[in-house]
Amino acid sequence: MNTYGWIMMTVSVSSVLMLVTFCLVKVLSLPAVEMEDIKGPLEIDTQDTEDAD
């Protein structure tokens, strides 16, 4: 591999590693969410219990 190949590979690998590090830091530094704050859609009607036959 020539010099330009090594430069391209180094820039590519380092940019991907920096992006992954940035994303992990952003996600892992989010504040904790209380379980009472999480609300699910409880009113979903799937219509599979009315006529089971």
Side-chain angles (χ1 to χ4, degrees):
M1 197 170 3
N2 59 11
T3 305
Y4 295 118
W6 280 105
I7 292 171
M8 182 63 90
M9 184 178 68
T10 303
V11 168
S12 299
V13 169
S14 62
S15 63
V16 168
L17 288 176
M18 286 190 310
L19 180 64
V20 167
T21 303
F22 173 76
C23 291
L24 282 175
V25 167
K26 291 295 273 187
V27 168
L28 294 176
S29 65
L30 290 174
V33 176
E34 297 294 327
M35 291 304 289
E36 292 84 26
D37 295 341
I38 300 175
K39 294 181 172 64
L42 301 176
E43 301 284 330
I44 296 175
D45 184 18
T46 58
Q47 300 177 354
D48 62 346
T49 57
E50 294 175 6
D51 192 21
D53 292 332

